[in-house]
């Protein structure tokens, strides 16, 4: 059994890992937390693109995404607009979106996902 850990944060977590042909990306949050939910979502998706590439995958191979929003009713449409522009329409993953208290007040969105490694 091989597990490849990507971008470990010592003592806390790996930002991604690959096991048995699946990439697991931990919840990603924006670096610039002064932006609105659309700006924060774009940042998170850009970070996910980087992690997927490092793991040998891409957004067309996403199997499942979990999205947490600080204000689901208020921010769902804006987050979804950015998501729609980013995700390939012929490769839509399963997805769940929920409202949650975030680790910091200025985090409006967090996204975690699983994807297949490209063959």
């Amino acid at each position: 059994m091989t597990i490849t850990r990507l971008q470990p944060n010592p003592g806390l977590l790996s930002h991604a890992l690959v096991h048995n042909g699946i990439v697991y990306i931990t919840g990603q949050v924006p670096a610039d937390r002064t932006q609105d939910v659309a700006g924060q979502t774009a940042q998170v998706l850009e970070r996910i693109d980087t992690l997927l590439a490092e793991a040998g995958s891409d957004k067309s191979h996403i199997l499942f995404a979990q999205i947490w929003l600080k204000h689901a009713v208020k921010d769902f449409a804006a987050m979804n607009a950015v998501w729609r522009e980013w995700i390939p329409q012929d490769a839509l993953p399963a997805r769940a979106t929920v409202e949650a208290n975030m680790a910091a007040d200025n985090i409006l969105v967090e996204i975690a996902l699983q994807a297949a490694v490209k063959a």
Side-chain angles (χ1 to χ4, degrees):
M1 175 179 78
T2 302
I3 299 173
T4 303
R5 299 175 196 285
L6 305 173
Q7 299 186 11
N9 184 346
L12 189 58
L13 55 87
S14 293
H15 285 275
L17 61 87
V18 180
H19 171 67
N20 205 23
I22 304 292
V23 181
Y24 299 87
I25 295 181
T26 192
Q28 298 297 305
V29 297
D32 178 0
R33 298 174 184 172
T34 64
Q35 296 183 356
D36 64 10
V37 73
Q40 288 192 17
T41 301
Q43 285 182 63
V44 169
L45 295 176
E46 183 177 321
R47 175 83 174 119
I48 287 171
D49 277 333
T50 299
L51 288 165
L52 286 169
E54 188 174 340
S57 188
D58 63 32
K59 60 189 167 190
S60 70
H61 288 73
I62 297 172
L63 304 170
F64 181 78
Q66 173 70 56
I67 301 173
W68 296 271
L69 291 171
K70 184 173 183 76
H71 308 289
V73 172
K74 177 180 144 226
D75 289 339
F76 187 75
M79 177 278 301
N80 248 351
V82 177
W83 176 268
R84 275 191 193 100
E85 288 294 316
W86 177 77
I87 197 74
Q89 293 302 297
D90 62 345
L92 297 173
R95 189 185 99 175
T97 305
V98 298
E99 183 171 284
N101 288 326
M102 303 303 232
D105 286 339
N106 56 358
I107 296 173
L108 303 178
V109 62
E110 181 172 348
I111 302 173
L113 56 81
Q114 297 86 46
V117 173
K118 292 192 280 187

